[in-house]
Amino acid sequence: MTEIEFRAVGESGLKVTTIGLGGTGLGNMYRAVDTDAAVNTVHAAYDNGIRYFDTAPVYGFGVSETRLGLAIKSLPRADIVISSKIGYDLVPIPPEELKPALWDHPGPFRAEFDYSRDAVMRSLEGTLKRLDTDYVDMVSIHDPDEAIHFGPGEDPYARSRFREAMDGAYPALDELRSQGVIKAVGVGINQWQMLSDFVVAGEFDYFLLAGRYTLLEQEPLATLLPLCEQRGTRIIIGGPYNSGILATGAVKGATFNTRPAPEPVLERVRRIEAVCARHKVSLPAAALQFPLGHPLVSSVIPGARSVEELKQNLVYLRANIPPALWADLKQARLIEIGAPLPGERKAA
C-alpha cells in the first residue's frame, strides 16, 4: 500500500507530495467542466492530503490557472506547492476567432511559442495574475519540441527549440531561482530524448515527463534516468495512465500517448491486465504506483475533472499490491528487469 508522503525536488529544501493534481482537467481538456466542480476538486485534493498542484498558461488558455487561483484563495498558501510553465505566449484574440481543439471553451487567446527572456517575464506576470498569488514555487520550460507526439521511428527532434530555450528561458529562470523568486527550475515535455540534452546543458531541479516512464514505457531507465541521478535532477510523472489506456484497459478506442492505441500496445496491456487480475489488482492502481518505485520520481500528477475522479485516484494510490505482482510482470518481460519497484525504494 502506498500512502501520500513528501519527496524532495532540487536542493532548496522544497518538497512535494507523492501525488499531485495535474491541471489539464481544470483547463477543460477535451471537454468542459463546471468552474465550481473544478474548484471543489482542488479543495478535495487538499482535504485528502495533496499539497502539490501543477498548471500552465496554455491549459485552457488561462482557464486552468484562473480556476486554481480561485481554489487556493481559501487554502493556506504556504502549505501548498504550485508549479507552472513558460514557453507559450498567450496572445489575445476576438472570441469569434476561437478554434477549440484540445481545449473545450478556452480563454480568448491563441498560443505562440516564445522562449525569450522577455517572454519568460511576461508569462510569469500573467501566471501570477491569473493565480492571484505572489509567487509560484516551480517553473518549467514547456514543450521545447512544440508538443510533438511521436511514435516508433519518428524523429523526436523534428521540431526543436532547445537552443532558444537554453539561450533565453533558462538563464532567466536560473536568475529568478538564484534570487529566491522561484525555488525550482525544470522542463515539461512529452519525450525523454531531448531531456537527455537538457540535463547536461543546465542545472535543472526537475523534469516533468508526460508518460515515457510508466507501467508501459521504461526506455528512460537506461538513458535519461542515470544522467538525472548524476546531476541531481528529480522526475515528476505526468500522464501516468499514458493518456488513457492504463486507466481504461485495452478497450475499443483506448488511447496511448494521445493517439489510438496500436495493436501491439493493446496486446501488451491485455497481458499486463491478465497478471493484475491473477493478483486481484486493478490495472490503474498498478499504473499509478509503479513510477513511484523509482528513487528519482518525486510525484505522479494524474489529472481529475471531479471530486469523484480525484478520490478514485487516491483509491488506486492506496491499493494493496503484493510484491508477487511486480515479480510476475518482470518474469513475463512486461516491465524492465532493472526497474525499481514500489516497496523497495531507497531515497536518491
Side-chain angles (χ1 to χ4, degrees):
M1 181 179 295
T2 299
E3 286 292 343
I4 297 175
E5 59 184 86
F6 287 86
R7 295 183 184 174
V9 176
E11 305 301 323
S12 68
L14 184 69
K15 292 185 177 181
V16 296
T17 44
T18 45
I19 184 170
L21 179 63
T24 54
L26 304 180
N28 295 335
M29 189 175 187
Y30 301 130
R31 60 182 174 85
V33 298
D34 180 79
T35 295
D36 287 343
V39 170
N40 289 339
T41 301
V42 173
H43 288 169
Y46 183 86
D47 290 343
N48 283 275
I50 292 173
R51 296 292 183 267
Y52 173 40
F53 301 90
D54 177 69
T55 185
V58 79
Y59 295 168
F61 296 162
V63 173
S64 176
E65 289 185 325
T66 300
R67 286 175 166 175
L68 182 58
L70 287 172
I72 66 172
K73 281 183 181 296
S74 58
L75 301 180
R77 179 64 184 89
D79 287 356
I80 63 176
V81 172
I82 296 175
S83 60
S84 194
K85 306 173 184 74
I86 58 86
Y88 287 93
D89 209 8
L90 297 186
V91 180
I93 59 172
E96 61 269 20
E97 289 186 22
L98 282 178
K99 297 179 180 178
L102 187 63
W103 310 104
D104 192 2
H105 290 81
F109 302 93
R110 70 172 187 271
E112 295 181 353
F113 290 105
D114 193 337
Y115 297 93
S116 67
R117 179 185 180 83
D118 286 348
V120 168
M121 301 308 180
R122 188 168 58 243
S123 181
L124 286 176
E125 181 181 2
T127 287
L128 294 176
K129 285 181 179 178
R130 287 185 291 271
L131 288 170
D132 194 16
T133 187
D134 295 330
Y135 65 98
V136 287
D137 306 270
M138 304 162 58
V139 180
S140 62
I141 298 168
H142 202 185
D143 289 340
D145 61 356
E146 299 189 9
I148 61 171
H149 292 269
F150 61 95
E154 296 180 59
D155 181 10
Y157 294 88
R159 292 194 293 276
S160 173
R161 293 179 178 266
F162 174 84
R163 197 68 268 158
E164 294 169 56
M166 285 306 303
D167 289 348
Y170 175 75
L173 293 176
D174 186 39
E175 181 180 328
L176 292 173
R177 177 176 53 186
S178 68
Q179 295 169 350
V181 176
I182 58 178
K183 295 180 180 177
V185 173
V187 179
I189 199 169
N190 299 313
Q191 56 154 294
W192 60 264
Q193 287 88 338
M194 202 177 289
L195 291 180
S196 298
D197 295 331
F198 277 108
V199 74
V200 296
E203 295 182 6
F204 290 96
D205 300 291
Y206 71 103
F207 292 144
L208 203 172
L209 181 59
R212 308 311 185 194
Y213 187 71
T214 67
L215 193 62
L216 265 178
E217 301 180 283
Q218 295 109 50
E219 280 188 330
L221 266 177
T223 50
L224 173 65
L225 295 181
L227 289 172
C228 289
E229 186 172 11
Q230 292 171 19
R231 304 282 291 184
T233 302
R234 300 301 180 103
I235 305 294
I236 293 166
I237 299 294
Y241 302 127
N242 278 113
S243 83
I245 194 167
L246 289 177
T248 64
V251 299
K252 184 178 180 180
T255 55
F256 170 68
N257 294 343
T258 76
R259 297 179 177 181
E263 182 54 37
V265 171
L266 289 167
E267 177 56 28
R268 188 176 185 87
V269 172
R270 291 186 195 108
R271 294 177 63 199
I272 293 173
E273 284 184 286
V275 176
C276 288
R278 289 202 303 272
H279 292 277
K280 297 181 172 57
V281 171
S282 74
L283 176 68
L288 195 60
Q289 292 188 33
F290 169 76
L292 290 169
H294 199 288
L296 290 181
V297 173
S298 295
S299 187
V300 293
I301 53 168
R305 304 173 185 278
S306 65
V307 173
E308 291 72 24
E309 285 188 10
L310 183 280
K311 289 185 175 179
Q312 185 60 70
N313 283 330
L314 291 171
V315 169
Y316 294 146
L317 181 78
R318 292 169 171 147
N320 184 48
I321 298 182
L325 178 136
W326 306 119
D328 285 355
L329 288 173
K330 283 193 175 185
Q331 185 175 16
R333 298 296 192 270
L334 291 171
I335 56 177
E336 292 290 334
I337 293 295
L341 301 173
E344 62 182 27
R345 180 185 182 275
K346 297 179 181 178

